[in-house]
Amino acid sequence: MGRVLVIRRDLVEAIVEHARRDHPDEACGVIAGPAADRPERFVPMLNAARSPTFYEFESGDLLRLYREMDANDEVPAVIYHSHTATEAYPSRTDVSYAGEPESHYVLVSTREPDTHEFRSYRIVDGEVTEEPVTIVESYESSPGE
């Protein structure tokens, strides 16, 4: 059986709110956690590209984030960004920049004003695999725990 992203509802809402707030530019960020399957700490990042078709983490912010995660024994459990005019599917550029094989790559599409797509992928060596998303109120209520 493949991987599943189990994520708290408040984290999903925070990602979608960030994507809506930065629209029409792409939003980006990380959810850090003690393991790739335990996203806990929402970290919205600045899209240094300020573009509706491309995102790029600001290098200084990214360095600070990785130092914080190292100090807290965390990993980038979720790496997210938005697409503002297309479906929530990784572009060739997204795939080429995906360098964390254990992370969940979440894409949110804000192309529709009243709805959104929220999808998760694993990207390893250029291969994209969509994974199911299970949204829970808390991790204690998630199935199998």
Side-chain angles (χ1 to χ4, degrees):
M1 183 169 156
R3 289 176 28 150
V4 175
L5 171 60
V6 178
I7 186 169
R8 291 190 330 247
R9 181 174 309 281
D10 63 305
L11 295 171
V12 171
E13 291 170 356
I15 290 172
V16 172
E17 285 176 19
H18 183 202
R20 290 279 179 213
R21 188 173 56 247
D22 283 12
H23 189 95
D25 290 339
E26 291 192 4
C28 57
V30 170
I31 301 180
D37 290 327
R38 192 69 173 207
E40 295 275 353
R41 186 167 63 93
F42 177 69
V43 185
M45 304 281 285
L46 175 68
N47 178 357
R50 298 236 181 240
S51 167
T53 59
F54 180 72
Y55 82 97
E56 178 178 27
F57 292 121
E58 197 283 317
S59 60
D61 287 351
L62 192 59
L63 179 60
R64 276 189 292 280
L65 173 61
Y66 272 80
R67 285 181 176 163
E68 282 177 18
M69 289 191 301
D70 282 347
N72 296 334
D73 287 327
E74 294 174 318
V75 298
V78 170
I79 299 171
Y80 73 88
H81 75 281
S82 62
H83 282 179
T84 60
T86 60
E87 70 175 315
Y89 189 86
S91 69
R92 278 187 277 166
T93 303
D94 297 336
V95 173
S96 71
Y97 285 138
E100 295 287 351
E102 296 301 318
S103 297
H104 301 271
Y105 285 88
V106 165
L107 278 93
V108 175
S109 174
T110 56
R111 65 182 168 175
E112 300 294 333
D114 299 324
T115 61
H116 64 268
E117 292 175 81
F118 187 99
R119 297 166 71 182
S120 182
Y121 304 89
R122 186 163 188 216
I123 303 173
V124 179
D125 296 330
E127 183 177 334
V128 178
T129 306
E130 185 165 7
E131 54 191 13
V133 177
T134 300
I135 299 172
V136 297
E137 296 303 321
S138 72
Y139 293 124
E140 287 71 33
S141 67
S142 65
E145 291 191 20

